[in-house]
């Protein structure tokens, strides 16, 4: 495509069954916002479109679990998600929701158009059915073993372990997520999109047409799907939550969420265009529009194969130029899990780190899973802030602003003769917009962010080499030139940082008294992205800047430890919740129980058994005698801390030799979900040694 006249940028619609977490941000929303901000800064016509997916089965499951209606769930989380995006600086032109009337109308109309054109096939097939719940089990209402990777917790529509999409009937040993029962097969009628009909087109469009410009992870997954042979895919489901199927025989059925959700991009664009007085069709049907989908790798098939097949079948829509899907972000060495609360939730981050949106944006972009899964750690987050944002970017700006105010009362000095270093530095500044733009336009946002930081590094090196704090004492003219050049770097950073660090960019523009907005304040100057490379001067001599303010602050160890403690608490809560209770042993008679002689005792002495990890040698007062008992508790207790412990002892257990020591009984213990042993002991001080437990 030649230079597009406009851009339509979409992001995966988040399910409204919970808040946004860092996996969503790194995979989809941060790179999409960088791209949209950059395009606007370079003068492009952009429609940045998003919205909430409110018809997914996870929402109905959440509603059932909480005893409320699905509408209650989506209303709650749509508001939370939308506010989080605003507070985090994700600059949607429109953020809608699939429960909106305009979306129901658009999705229904799309279905009717394809149905009228004969693009669907109607089939009666056997689907999994839960007799106790009296309903068919759509996608996430059924779990079982993935037929591809063997994951025993795969959903009916997709395995979150290997990313493979499948039908619920493909699962091995399926179970109902509602009742836990093994489902049966029952006949039902559905509408199917025959993907096999579009296989030749998809081969040509993707495998031939996008072999060189789509990311390898995206292209590879598409090729695997196409090479495996495409099959018809159901577009309807037996559910009572969603958009009703607008066709005869569709009673009690809704549009399958994968069919209705991507149409949400179109309905959200319609909503925006109506509000702004624009023609929405130009952003979806004009060949001079570039359509880009930002998604995670679990949505590649839907956005690269299924949705394009839908658009192609309809006939009047453009197809995506690129789908730069990211891989997954892990957290502290483990996969992110919303159900296990193993996540960093955006609303909590914004509360715990007020005014530090850009720190998270920077850290996530610097470690983005662009071609492979990456791992977010709080220590890396801290290091990115302290060693890069504070020590490089913030340090340079602070020195420039402080020295300008100290030497020239905040007035940009007039330069004298430029040295070779000055000329090279000014030329380097002009090169950065194209360098950064090249990375952004190839969807290499990590690379682009590091190029921005390299500009700040250039500034620090320039100051360190030229030493204006020394030249001010001997060469006033030279110092003026140095500070002039340094201020040009600072101004370039104010503009070029906006896609990556928007809050910092705005603050820095305030300090430098520059603006990129149309609403110019008096005595402010305006610099665009292209001005950085084309203008000889960004901050002219005589321009007055403001006082220094810290752009970033150091994050201390105790702040990071609080976040690690929060995750550790989640891990322990999961272990307790998932702990399995041992099943009851074989039934015994009362006579069997009476054979056990269990007494209260006190540990008098204890010592570690040599050359063993687990064994302590104990001397125990059982009330009837003092005896030696060897107990495997050394990994949970030291010898010193068990002396004086009140314990419960099985005293008539046959003696047994352990490592050459005869053990004359057994201390009764239990074990926590974390694997720590705990004494089963009498707490009442009135219970004396030797008393029987019965």
């Amino acid at each position: 495509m030649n230079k597009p006249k406009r851009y339509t940028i979409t992001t995966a619609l988040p399910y409204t069954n919970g808040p946004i977490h860092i996996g969503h941000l790194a995979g989809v929303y941060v790179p999409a916002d960088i791209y949209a901000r950059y395009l606007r800064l370079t003068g492009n016509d952009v429609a940045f479109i998003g919205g909430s997916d409110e018809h997914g089965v996870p929402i109905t499951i959440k509603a059932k679990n909480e005893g409320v209606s699905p509408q209650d769930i989506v209303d709650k989380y749509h508001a939370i998600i939308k506010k989080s995006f605003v507070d985090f600086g994700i600059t949607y032109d429109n953020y809608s929701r699939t429960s909106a009337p305009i979306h129901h109308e658009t999705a229904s109309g799309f279905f009717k158009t394809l149905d009228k054109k004969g693009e669907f096939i109607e089939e009666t097939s056997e689907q999994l059915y839960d007799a106790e719940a009296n309903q068919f089990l759509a996608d996430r209402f059924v779990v079982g073993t993935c037929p591809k990777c063997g994951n025993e917790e795969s959903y009916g529509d997709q395995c979150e372990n290997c990313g493979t999409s499948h039908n619920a009937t493909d699962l091995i040993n399926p179970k109902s997520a509602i009742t836990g029962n093994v489902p049966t097969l029952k006949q039902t009628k559905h509408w199917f999109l025959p993907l096999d009909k579009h296989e030749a087109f998809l081969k040509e469009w993707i495998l031939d047409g996008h072999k060189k410009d789509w990311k390898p992870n995206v292209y590879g997954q598409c090729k695997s799907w196409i090479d495996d042979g495409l099959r018809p895919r159901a577009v309807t489901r037996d559910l009572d939550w969603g958009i009703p199927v607008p066709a005869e025989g569709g009673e009690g059925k809704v549009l399958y969420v994968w069919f209705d959700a991507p149409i949400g991009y179109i309905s959200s664009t319609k909503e925006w265009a109506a509000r702004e007085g624009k023609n929405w069709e130009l952003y979806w049907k004009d060949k001079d529009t570039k359509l880009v989908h930002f998604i995670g790798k679990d949505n590649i098939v839907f956005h690269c194969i299924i949705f394009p097949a839908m658009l192609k079948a309809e006939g009047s829509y453009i197809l995506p130029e690129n789908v730069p899907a990211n891989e997954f972000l892990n957290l502290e060495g483990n996969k992110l899990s919303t159900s296990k609360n193993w996540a960093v939730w955006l609303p909590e981050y914004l509360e715990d780190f007020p005014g530090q949106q850009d720190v998270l944006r920077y850290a996530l972009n610097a470690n983005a899973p662009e071609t492979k899964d990456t791992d977010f750690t709080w220590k890396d987050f801290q290091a990115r802030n302290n060693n890069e944002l504070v020590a490089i970017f913030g340090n340079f700006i602070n020195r420039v602003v402080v020295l300008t105010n100290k030497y020239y009362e905040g007035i940009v000095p007039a330069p004298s003769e430029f040295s070779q270093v000055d000329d090279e530095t000014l030329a380097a500044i002009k090169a950065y917009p194209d360098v950064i733009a090249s990375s952004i336009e190839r969807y290499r946002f990590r690379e682009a962010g590091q190029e921005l930081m390299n500009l700040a590094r250039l500034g620090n090196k320039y100051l360190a080499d030229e030493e204006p704090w020394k030249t001010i004492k001997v060469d006033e003219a030279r110092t003026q030139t140095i500070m002039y050049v340094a201020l040009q770097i600072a101004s370039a950073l104010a503009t070029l940082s906006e896609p990556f660090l928007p809050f910092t960019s705005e603050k820095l523009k305030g300090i430098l008294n520059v603006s990129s907005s149309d609403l110019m304040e008096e005595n402010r100057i305006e610099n665009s992205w292209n001005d950085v490379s084309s203008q000889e001067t960004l901050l002219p001599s005589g321009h007055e800047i403001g006082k220094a303010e810290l752009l970033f602050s150091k994050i201390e160890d105790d702040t990071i430890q609080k976040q690690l403690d929060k995750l550790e608490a989640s891990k322990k809560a999961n272990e307790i919740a998932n702990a399995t209770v041992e099943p009851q042993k074989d039934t015994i008679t009362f006579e069997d129980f009476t054979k056990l002689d269990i007494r209260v005792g006190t540990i008098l002495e204890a010592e570690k058994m040599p050359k063993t990890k687990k064994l302590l040698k104990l001397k125990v007062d059982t009330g009837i005698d003092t005896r030696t008992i060897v107990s495997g508790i050394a990994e949970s207790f030291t010898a010193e801390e068990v002396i004086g412990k009140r314990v419960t002892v099985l005293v008539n257990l046959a003696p047994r030799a352990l490592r050459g020591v005869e053990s004359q009984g057994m201390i009764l213990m239990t074990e926590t979900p974390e694997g720590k042993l705990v004494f089963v002991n009498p707490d009442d001080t009135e219970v004396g040694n030797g008393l029987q437990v019965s």
Side-chain angles (χ1 to χ4, degrees):
M1 174 185 282
N2 295 325
K3 170 77 174 165
K5 288 185 178 179
R6 67 194 67 80
Y7 291 79
T8 301
I9 304 167
T10 73
T11 59
L13 308 183
Y15 276 135
T16 44
N17 66 333
I20 295 295
H21 59 59
I22 58 170
H24 302 130
L25 295 172
V28 177
Y29 305 108
V30 168
D33 191 62
I34 291 172
Y35 189 62
R37 285 176 177 272
Y38 157 74
L39 289 174
R40 294 192 195 102
L41 280 170
T42 49
N44 290 285
D45 181 358
V46 174
F48 183 22
I49 301 299
S52 295
D53 182 354
E54 301 183 336
H55 293 143
V57 172
I59 290 161
T60 59
I61 293 176
K62 181 98 170 178
K64 281 179 180 290
N65 291 340
E66 295 189 10
V68 297
S69 72
Q71 192 65 51
D72 291 333
I73 294 293
V74 300
D75 287 346
K76 173 184 175 180
Y77 287 109
H78 171 73
I80 291 172
I81 292 170
K82 187 174 182 179
K83 183 178 187 302
S84 294
F85 280 144
V86 171
D87 292 345
F88 196 59
I90 305 298
T91 53
Y92 285 114
D93 290 298
N94 200 64
Y95 189 82
S96 190
R97 55 193 305 191
T98 58
S99 65
I102 193 171
H103 175 68
H104 277 243
E105 177 186 327
T106 302
S108 295
F110 202 102
F111 179 93
K112 289 176 183 176
T113 298
L114 295 190
D115 196 26
K116 186 176 181 181
K117 292 180 70 174
E119 292 291 342
F120 295 132
I121 54 177
E122 296 178 35
E123 287 186 0
T124 298
S125 61
E126 290 187 320
Q127 300 289 323
L128 296 177
Y129 183 82
D130 186 329
E132 182 180 340
N134 192 29
Q135 71 176 75
F136 286 94
L137 298 176
D139 39 70
R140 305 224 163 186
F141 276 130
V142 58
V143 293
T145 301
C146 173
K148 183 172 183 179
C149 73
N151 171 31
E152 295 181 353
E153 297 181 354
S154 177
Y155 292 115
D157 60 341
Q158 187 172 48
C159 175
E160 292 194 342
N161 183 57
C162 67
T164 301
S165 295
H166 46 233
N167 293 314
T169 51
D170 297 330
L171 291 176
I172 302 167
N173 299 324
K175 288 186 178 180
S176 169
I178 304 172
T179 64
N181 293 337
V182 176
T184 58
L185 289 171
K186 185 176 180 179
Q187 286 194 336
T188 183
K189 185 182 84 167
H190 283 295
W191 284 255
F192 289 76
L193 179 67
L195 292 176
D196 48 326
K197 175 182 175 181
H198 303 283
E199 190 169 309
F201 149 69
L202 290 167
K203 278 184 177 178
E204 180 182 355
W205 177 61
I206 299 174
L207 302 189
D208 297 335
H210 288 294
K211 187 172 185 177
K212 295 181 179 179
D213 62 332
W214 279 15
K215 294 169 69 172
N217 57 315
V218 177
Y219 183 87
Q221 193 175 135
C222 291
K223 187 176 187 305
S224 176
W225 251 66
I226 294 172
D227 288 349
D228 193 41
L230 300 180
R231 292 172 286 278
R233 184 97 177 177
V235 302
T236 59
R237 272 293 182 262
D238 291 290
L239 287 171
D240 56 4
W241 175 251
I243 299 173
V245 174
E248 185 177 346
E251 297 79 13
K253 303 178 190 295
V254 299
L255 299 182
Y256 197 0
V257 67
W258 68 256
F259 181 87
D260 115 61
I263 297 172
Y265 303 142
I266 301 169
S267 60
S268 183
T269 307
K270 285 183 177 181
E271 191 176 74
W272 164 74
R275 186 180 68 243
E276 301 296 327
K278 294 178 178 287
N279 179 3
W280 74 269
E281 291 190 323
L282 290 176
Y283 294 85
W284 279 96
K285 298 185 177 183
D286 189 279
K287 62 181 178 60
D288 292 324
T289 296
K290 183 173 181 176
L291 173 62
V292 182
H293 297 309
F294 283 87
I295 57 169
K297 72 175 177 182
D298 52 338
N299 273 319
I300 288 174
V301 167
F302 299 108
H303 287 75
C304 296
I305 293 178
I306 299 174
F307 189 41
M310 291 163 54
L311 297 174
K312 182 73 172 176
E314 198 278 344
S316 65
Y317 285 84
I318 59 173
L319 300 177
E321 282 288 316
N322 215 311
V323 185
N326 276 356
E327 298 293 290
F328 288 154
L329 182 76
N330 298 323
L331 173 60
E332 297 288 351
N334 294 306
K335 289 187 176 182
L336 281 156
S337 173
T338 57
S339 62
K340 295 178 180 177
N341 196 30
W342 189 255
V344 177
W345 303 102
L346 181 54
E348 290 185 13
Y349 174 87
L350 294 170
E351 184 176 333
D352 292 346
F353 294 87
Q356 293 180 286
Q357 296 96 322
D358 283 350
V359 181
L360 185 57
R361 288 177 68 111
Y362 181 79
L364 291 176
N365 185 58
N367 189 36
E370 291 183 341
T371 55
K372 63 180 181 180
D373 292 357
T374 57
D375 191 37
F376 176 92
T377 69
W378 278 110
K379 289 294 185 182
D380 179 70
F381 167 84
Q382 181 186 27
R384 297 282 184 188
N385 178 78
N386 294 353
N387 301 338
E388 297 177 33
L389 293 177
V390 173
I392 299 173
F393 195 115
N395 179 60
F396 170 69
I397 295 298
N398 189 62
R399 288 202 291 177
V400 171
V401 175
V402 167
L403 292 178
T404 302
N405 277 280
K406 181 179 180 180
Y407 298 159
Y408 310 112
E409 297 183 341
I411 305 299
V412 178
S416 57
E417 184 178 349
F418 291 124
S419 68
Q420 181 179 343
V421 171
D422 300 332
D423 287 334
E424 290 173 351
T425 302
L426 291 170
I429 297 172
K430 291 185 178 183
Y432 269 99
D434 287 343
V435 170
I436 296 172
S438 174
S439 296
I440 291 176
E441 289 176 2
R442 287 177 293 133
Y443 311 104
R444 297 182 179 180
F445 301 105
R446 290 174 61 168
E447 182 179 273
Q450 284 309 302
E451 290 296 346
L452 173 72
M453 193 57 66
N454 285 340
L455 177 56
R457 289 187 175 96
L458 173 71
N460 274 317
K461 185 178 187 305
Y462 178 78
L463 282 183
D465 290 347
E466 301 309 306
E467 300 179 311
W469 45 88
K470 290 184 178 179
T471 61
I472 190 68
K473 300 173 184 177
V474 295
D475 192 340
E476 175 66 28
R478 177 61 191 150
T479 306
Q480 289 182 197
T481 303
I482 295 170
M483 294 309 302
Y484 172 86
V485 172
L487 283 161
Q488 305 313 304
I489 299 173
S491 184
L493 283 169
T495 298
L496 301 182
S497 65
E498 184 176 331
F500 310 92
L501 308 168
F503 297 90
T504 304
S505 171
E506 192 62 29
K507 191 173 183 179
L508 180 51
K509 288 172 185 176
I511 293 171
L512 298 179
N513 202 18
V514 301
S515 174
S516 60
S517 72
D518 295 331
L519 300 175
M520 297 288 293
E521 293 184 23
E522 190 177 355
N523 298 324
R524 283 198 170 201
I525 59 173
E526 179 180 7
N527 285 321
S528 70
W529 185 280
N530 296 327
D531 288 339
V532 177
S533 55
S534 63
Q535 296 294 324
E536 289 299 320
T537 300
L538 299 175
L539 278 185
S541 302
H543 175 75
E544 184 175 0
I545 68 171
K547 300 296 183 182
E549 299 177 48
L550 288 180
L551 296 179
F552 306 99
S553 57
K554 187 178 179 183
I555 295 175
E556 302 296 341
D557 290 346
D558 61 342
T559 300
I560 296 302
Q561 191 58 49
K562 288 178 182 177
Q563 298 302 320
L564 293 172
D565 291 345
K566 188 185 294 186
L567 286 175
E568 187 61 28
S570 290
K571 183 181 289 186
K572 288 184 177 179
N574 288 326
E575 289 171 351
I576 293 171
N578 295 326
T580 56
V581 178
E582 289 294 323
Q584 178 181 301
K585 295 181 179 180
D586 292 341
T587 301
I588 64 172
T589 66
F590 181 74
E591 287 72 21
D592 291 329
F593 173 73
T594 59
K595 294 178 182 178
L596 300 176
D597 191 348
I598 303 173
R599 306 268 179 154
V600 175
T602 301
I603 298 175
L604 303 177
E605 299 176 12
E607 62 178 287
K608 184 82 160 44
M609 291 276 285
K611 298 181 180 180
T612 68
K613 288 184 178 180
K614 296 184 177 181
L615 301 181
L616 287 182
K617 179 181 174 184
L618 311 174
K619 185 169 286 188
V620 182
D621 177 1
T622 66
I624 54 177
D625 58 19
T626 298
R627 63 178 65 186
T628 298
I629 295 177
V630 178
S631 184
I633 61 174
E635 290 185 316
S636 295
F637 302 96
T638 65
E640 292 75 18
E641 66 182 313
V642 301
I643 295 174
K645 279 278 187 184
R646 306 291 303 286
V647 293
T648 308
V649 189
L650 178 60
V651 296
N652 66 334
L653 184 67
R656 181 184 178 192
L658 295 170
R659 295 295 179 99
V661 177
E662 186 175 72
S663 180
Q664 301 170 310
M666 178 181 289
I667 307 293
L668 301 190
M669 310 290 294
T670 188
E671 188 176 19
T672 69
E674 294 83 7
K676 180 176 173 57
L677 293 174
V678 178
F679 287 104
V680 178
N681 65 329
D683 290 327
D684 197 322
T685 56
E686 296 181 6
V687 178
N689 291 346
L691 291 181
Q692 287 187 303
V693 177
S694 60

